[in-house]
Amino acid sequence: ETGVTQTPRHLVMGMTNKKSLKCEQHLGHNAMYWYKQSAKKPLELMFVYNFKEQTENNSVPSRFSPECPNSSHLFLHLHTLQPEDSALYLCASSQDFAGGNEQFFGPGTRLTVL
Amino acid sequence: GNSVTQMEGPVTLSEEAFLTINCTYTATGYPSLFWYVQYPGEGLQLLLKATKADDKGSNKGFEATYRKETTSFHLEKGSVQVSDSAVYFCALSDQGGSEKLVFGKGTKLTVNP
């Protein structure tokens, strides 16, 4: 595997379910990110981790819970979601936080909440 | 705060037409500027970037010049192909080292044969 991978690619869940999204980067990067991409809205940064430490929580509801066990893996745990949480969830990584650094994105998980 | 405004889409062109997608920004300091592209069913990929004023980023025939005087970073390509059909995002990051990328809303481009 190369680059940034995300599983599953598609997920349908009910509002009472608990599920997790997984992201893995094979680039040796130190920073990882979760974004939410909804139709007709700019990409929303949700969480940022640097060297496994969370450095940003962009006012995300507590029904989204991130976990970063090491610099290569990032999870997003989901519980009691709402239909408006349906979106494409993108994971990204970068070498570090220096200005001008490129972020590398995974293909995303298309989440549908019924 | 920092923000990015890019032209509303969708944009539909015929193959070999000239492309311009406008992007302007508001930022404190000296941000780095990026264009990302998202092909159908995929994540975003960096297309090009510029880290200081008057820099020109270029890749795959696309170009954009960092214009500090007009706070702009317009994307251009002289002759588009069907394979360029995608959503294009303009973005900035704080040159001071912030990890935050601020994105525009995206512009969908469709190129017809």
Side-chain angles (χ1 to χ4, degrees):
Chain A
E1 290 279 14
T2 59
V4 180
T5 58
Q6 292 186 242
T7 54
R9 293 293 308 274
H10 301 273
L11 178 62
V12 179
M13 58 187 290
M15 289 190 286
T16 58
N17 291 158
K18 288 185 179 181
K19 297 286 184 182
S20 295
L21 310 185
K22 178 183 176 182
C23 175
E24 184 173 1
Q25 58 96 0
H26 310 267
L27 301 168
H29 289 166
N30 298 312
M32 297 188 77
Y33 313 77
W34 278 117
Y35 288 88
K36 177 182 179 183
Q37 185 177 28
S38 305
K40 301 190 188 302
K41 294 175 69 174
L43 251 67
E44 301 172 56
L45 179 65
M46 299 175 72
F47 300 105
V48 181
Y49 279 82
N50 186 33
F51 288 97
K52 305 186 300 178
E53 299 297 321
Q54 187 178 126
T55 61
E56 182 83 21
N57 176 341
N58 213 20
S59 303
V60 180
S62 60
R63 57 186 183 270
F64 295 91
S65 175
E67 178 190 0
C68 189
N70 54 61
S71 292
S72 298
H73 294 86
L74 185 64
F75 295 89
L76 188 63
H77 304 299
L78 316 171
H79 63 97
T80 59
L81 294 192
Q82 305 298 312
E84 60 265 28
D85 297 323
S86 299
L88 182 68
Y89 289 85
L90 292 166
C91 174
S93 70
S94 66
Q95 180 60 46
D96 53 37
F97 287 160
N101 259 342
E102 175 183 357
Q103 290 185 17
F104 291 78
F105 285 79
T109 295
R110 175 68 63 184
L111 174 67
T112 302
V113 181
L114 301 177
Chain B
N2 296 345
S3 67
V4 173
T5 302
Q6 62 182 106
M7 64 187 286
E8 295 282 335
V11 174
T12 302
L13 296 173
S14 297
E15 207 164 22
E16 299 185 1
F18 184 85
L19 169 71
T20 300
I21 300 178
N22 290 337
C23 172
T24 57
Y25 66 91
T26 301
T28 55
Y30 303 95
S32 293
L33 301 174
F34 306 82
W35 277 101
Y36 279 82
V37 58
Q38 186 176 30
Y39 297 104
E42 298 183 15
L44 278 69
Q45 303 173 27
L46 180 67
L47 180 61
L48 53 84
K49 71 177 185 180
T51 57
K52 61 183 188 295
D54 300 324
D55 268 3
K56 177 187 281 188
S58 61
N59 186 25
K60 299 181 182 179
F62 291 88
E63 293 183 341
T65 300
Y66 189 144
R67 300 284 188 201
K68 188 170 183 293
E69 64 277 13
T70 54
T71 61
S72 65
F73 193 55
H74 304 321
L75 182 68
E76 295 182 338
K77 186 173 185 181
S79 176
V80 294
Q81 305 300 312
V82 172
S83 57
D84 294 327
S85 298
V87 181
Y88 292 82
F89 294 89
C90 186
L92 66 82
S93 74
D94 187 339
Q95 186 68 20
S98 166
E99 67 279 16
K100 289 185 181 180
L101 271 181
V102 176
F103 285 89
K105 291 186 177 181
T107 302
K108 183 175 181 181
L109 170 67
T110 301
V111 181
N112 295 318

